[in-house]
Amino acid sequence: MAKKNLLFLTIIPIWGGATKNLLELIKRLDKNIFNSFLVLPDDRGVIYTEAIKRGIQVKLMDMPFIHLSRNPFKLFFFVFKIIQVNIRFFSLIKKLDIDMVICNTIQDSLFVCIPSKILKRKLVIYIKGILDKRWKKIFRSRICDLFADKVVAVSKRVRDDIVKYMKNQKKAMVIYEGIDVDYFRNNAANSDIYNTGQRCFRIINIGNIAELKGQKLLIRALLEKEFENIDFKVFFIGEANFERDLAYKREMEELIGGSSLEGKVVFTGFRKNVGDYIKYSDLLVHCPVLEEGFGLVIIEAFSMEKVVVATRVGGIPEIIENGLNGFLSDTDHKDLANKIMYVYNNQDGLGQIKSNGLSTVKEKFTLDKQIRKTQEVYCKLLEV
């Protein structure tokens, strides 16, 4: 039986949970059945390097970011660019004899939906986020209805967001992202990466610094009076990647400056080895204030048997059962402060919570389970 050629693409230039999971998925697909290619916008940065390290075949294609504008000249140029990229993908799909195209986001689909349709290739669109505006939801659903053979959501909450405006809701399904628990645990550093001298209570927040991720909410929580006399440090592990995010980071720094948090907050910048930081931390706080599709960092912390406090948004309640394997907070800084303080005051009595978190990952969120379900979908679509 001839192998089926798969073409994956992503314009996301940022190393994070979604891109890391994508590379692991491509790497671990059955090579007796599938021959995979990955299209990236350039060869700069961690994603390209990590793809090559995993032995993934990479093709480069200049794919523009989608920026909505009321300027007719900018809008015309953008539409022209989209058409141009579609033509290039038409040639690439034919040249590589691609059987199925897999888009990591709905934005990626704009570059390949037309050539995939014309060439009668299967198209799978992954949806990993929840949109804020009705018109965006409708537009996304129309793309999925018209072009996708299968729509894969990373959580039930994301699927609900998609199908609300879809005519053919049967196209949409849920496959949770997963991790290789043993690999993640065994490849963390054997010595304390923080190197902060005297031991204190360590709180970590992992994710690109952006309003969506809610880092300011965590700062406001830790500015509550009950934290003034506690020996702790909070580590923000991630980078501000765009101008609006840099402005958001400056707002964070203004909140910290001259407050009780001065000297207690560390911005580490981008770190690829997040497992090292999780291993030697006491608490992960994941506090998006807007909708969050899933939250891969939560299951990474669970796999290390760490306590997690997270906001009750998006797909997060599908991972955390409040009080059983972690703690859920409202998007309110006082409630978040109360949850963090509870963990601090009960550090020695949360062993069962930690154990339940690890069990949750092993039962529901393993990479093997994700890959098995993914391959079933691909094989069914390609009639393998």
Side-chain angles (χ1 to χ4, degrees):
M1 180 184 69
K3 292 183 183 180
K4 297 297 183 180
N5 292 324
L6 308 181
L7 187 70
F8 293 83
L9 66 147
T10 179
I11 62 168
I12 298 175
I14 302 166
W15 181 256
T19 47
K20 182 165 55 176
N21 183 263
L22 172 65
L23 296 188
E24 284 302 303
L25 173 64
I26 297 171
K27 174 188 172 182
R28 296 175 188 235
L29 285 173
D30 190 335
K31 291 179 175 56
N32 293 316
I33 304 174
F34 305 111
N35 181 39
S36 301
F37 299 89
L38 172 63
V39 179
L40 295 175
D42 54 54
D43 59 359
R44 300 190 301 270
V46 179
I47 299 173
Y48 178 83
T49 304
E50 288 296 319
I52 297 299
K53 188 186 295 184
R54 287 167 170 79
I56 297 171
Q57 302 176 81
V58 177
K59 302 292 180 181
L60 301 179
M61 182 79 72
D62 181 19
M63 296 178 283
F65 280 107
I66 295 176
H67 295 295
L68 296 177
S69 174
R70 294 183 180 181
N71 184 318
F73 296 104
K74 288 184 178 180
L75 187 61
F76 174 80
F77 176 78
F78 176 73
V79 172
F80 175 77
K81 189 73 173 175
I82 289 288
I83 294 170
Q84 198 175 46
V85 176
N86 269 265
I87 293 169
R88 289 174 184 165
F89 266 109
F90 185 93
S91 299
L92 184 65
I93 291 168
K94 286 191 71 176
K95 179 181 177 181
L96 299 177
D97 192 22
I98 297 299
D99 298 289
M100 185 161 69
V101 180
I102 300 104
C103 301
N104 198 42
T105 68
I106 192 67
Q107 291 190 30
D108 301 325
S109 69
L110 297 181
F111 304 121
V112 293
C113 57
I114 294 174
S116 297
K117 194 78 168 178
I118 293 172
L119 294 169
K120 298 182 179 178
R121 301 318 200 251
K122 299 295 183 182
L123 179 66
V124 177
I125 301 176
Y126 280 79
I127 307 293
K128 302 188 176 186
I130 298 167
L131 297 179
D132 55 346
K133 290 182 170 43
R134 184 174 178 271
W135 72 264
K136 292 181 182 179
K137 297 175 191 281
I138 293 172
F139 176 76
R140 180 179 64 182
S141 295
R142 293 294 175 268
I143 293 290
C144 292
D145 271 326
L146 287 170
F147 298 103
D149 294 283
K150 184 62 70 174
V151 179
V152 180
V154 294
S155 67
K156 294 175 184 175
R157 177 67 185 86
V158 171
R159 184 188 181 278
D160 290 345
D161 192 55
I162 301 165
V163 300
K164 186 175 182 181
Y165 298 103
M166 279 185 70
K167 294 178 181 177
N168 188 353
Q169 298 184 357
K170 291 181 180 179
K171 283 185 179 182
M173 65 175 298
V174 175
I175 299 180
Y176 289 120
E177 293 179 334
I179 62 169
D180 184 332
V181 178
D182 292 334
Y183 181 86
F184 193 76
R185 287 169 64 92
N186 295 336
N187 281 272
N190 291 319
S191 59
D192 192 338
I193 196 169
Y194 290 95
N195 193 26
T196 54
Q198 187 176 355
R199 189 72 167 86
C200 64
F201 187 73
R202 293 169 178 166
I203 301 168
I204 59 172
N205 175 276
I206 300 173
N208 297 306
I209 293 176
E211 184 178 3
L212 166 68
K213 297 296 182 180
Q215 287 94 349
K216 277 170 61 176
L217 179 67
L218 175 54
I219 289 173
R220 289 194 177 101
L222 295 174
L223 283 171
E224 288 294 293
K225 191 172 182 179
E226 56 260 48
F227 289 97
E228 288 181 2
N229 299 316
I230 291 177
D231 185 17
F232 73 91
K233 281 187 179 292
V234 57
F235 298 83
F236 289 103
I237 303 167
E239 193 57 84
N241 294 289
F242 303 101
E243 185 58 41
R244 65 180 181 275
D245 301 332
L246 289 169
Y248 183 76
K249 184 179 179 181
R250 287 193 291 271
E251 291 173 12
M252 292 171 63
E253 291 168 337
E254 288 171 6
L255 281 173
I256 296 163
S259 74
S260 59
L261 285 180
E262 201 158 36
K264 292 184 175 182
V265 177
V266 179
F267 291 94
T268 70
F270 168 75
R271 292 291 185 272
K272 187 161 67 71
N273 55 330
V274 294
D276 299 345
Y277 288 88
I278 294 172
K279 183 176 180 178
Y280 294 99
S281 67
D282 298 294
L283 170 65
L284 170 78
V285 178
H286 186 62
C287 51
V289 292
L290 303 174
E291 296 282 22
E292 172 90 338
F294 183 61
L296 193 68
V297 69
I298 296 172
I299 62 175
E300 290 178 334
F302 277 3
S303 74
M304 289 286 193
E305 296 183 86
K306 297 298 176 179
V307 180
V308 177
V309 172
T311 43
R312 192 183 283 103
V313 299
I316 291 174
E318 295 172 46
I319 307 171
I320 296 179
E321 293 184 62
N322 190 41
L324 181 66
N325 58 6
F327 299 96
L328 291 172
S329 164
D330 295 332
T331 52
D332 170 79
H333 72 275
K334 290 187 181 296
D335 189 37
L336 184 60
N338 290 338
K339 295 296 194 308
I340 296 170
M341 184 57 68
Y342 177 84
V343 173
Y344 178 80
N345 289 331
N346 294 276
Q347 294 176 61
D348 298 327
L350 300 175
Q352 191 59 54
I353 293 278
K354 296 175 182 179
S355 178
N356 290 344
L358 178 59
S359 297
T360 298
V361 180
K362 289 182 174 181
E363 290 169 11
K364 295 178 65 177
F365 304 114
T366 65
L367 191 57
D368 284 344
K369 191 169 187 177
Q370 178 191 355
I371 291 168
R372 186 175 65 254
K373 288 187 173 183
T374 299
Q375 290 192 162
E376 287 173 1
V377 172
Y378 292 180
C379 287
K380 188 173 181 180
L381 284 172
L382 295 170
E383 299 179 345
V384 175

